[in-house]
Amino acid sequence: MQEPRRLTSPLVLTALLLLLVLVQGPLRRALSAPVMQSWTTVFVAVVVQALPFLVLGVLLSAAIAVYVPPSFFARALPRSPALAVPVAGAAGAVLPGCECASVPVTGALVRRGVTPAAALAFLLSAPAINPIVLTATAVAFPGNPEMVLARFVASLLVACAMGWLWHRLGRTDWLRPPTHAPHEGQSRGAAFWDSVRHDVMHAGGFLVVGAMAAATLKAVAPESWLRTAADNPVVAVLALAALAVVLSLCSEADAFVAASLTQFSLTARLTFLVVGPMIDLKLFAMQAGTFGRAFALRFAPATFCLAVAVSALTGAVLL
């Protein structure tokens, strides 16, 4: 019995090229429409501005995850959990780490004996207040330097509060520490480039999705809808908090997406910047896979609620 023929790569490429030739006229007319030109302008601007910060953040995060031994943190932190939490939270300001890297790094800290409360404070603060993220925020909001301070203050408060909350109410059986290192068995060089490739692919993909969403909101969504949501302070804050969870942007790039949402207040956009690096769809999946579902189902909702409340209060005071 003769086997059916399989499509080969050259045949598929040829068919695709022929299809593009046939539809080039309608495609050109569609792309020249004013709405598509506006969409393309916003999309390209967000990606081009955010990409250098994303790449730099991924490189530094991979270097810390691979070359800085977790035992260093165990020695550097105070023995008292109550004091270790703010120290670990403040360490996020000097140790860049994107969300993708912060989860395995936190797992390594817990496995090496760092108190979970301090490790979780670092988990939340490192992607939110590191120098790359704060610099990107300053570049994205050149006319509003107070956004940098507000993001730093709100994110650090949430990280420390969640650490203390876990220390007071968390139970050992809710947290399942990972049993092995994510790059165990690899050389440091191989582990570094493996981490870079993984994080660039993940973060780059989410950046493209976020830029597409921001461009669509700007170009397609009726202005009356956005104005209705933006004019109600509570709805605006909750809407951008939910958007941050769904988009799952990398923290090195989210400021440029937030800056493009000009219909919304600075406080609502601050909520977007505080919530996103702490809890989104990809982070929930990574936390559940690393620490167990019992942990993620408790930690993620509490983090979301606290991040929304603290960012709204911080915005009311500083913005």
Side-chain angles (χ1 to χ4, degrees), residues 8 25 39 65 96 101 106-107 122 152 182 185 198 200-201 203 221 240 254 277 319:
T8 61
W39 188 95
T106 301
F122 180 80
F152 176 86
H198 175 273
V200 165
M201 292 298 294
L240 290 196
D254 60 0
L319 302 178

Side-chain angles (χ1 to χ4, degrees), residues 237-247 271-272 275 304 308:
V237 166
L238 294 177
L240 290 196
L243 185 64
V245 173
V246 173
L247 290 185
T271 302
F272 180 88
V275 171
F304 177 83
V308 171

Side-chain angles (χ1 to χ4, degrees), residues 216-219 221-231 263-264:
T216 302
L217 282 174
K218 292 282 287 186
E223 186 68 25
S224 59
W225 293 6
L226 295 178
R227 191 181 305 112
T228 300
D231 287 345
Q263 300 92 340
F264 292 87

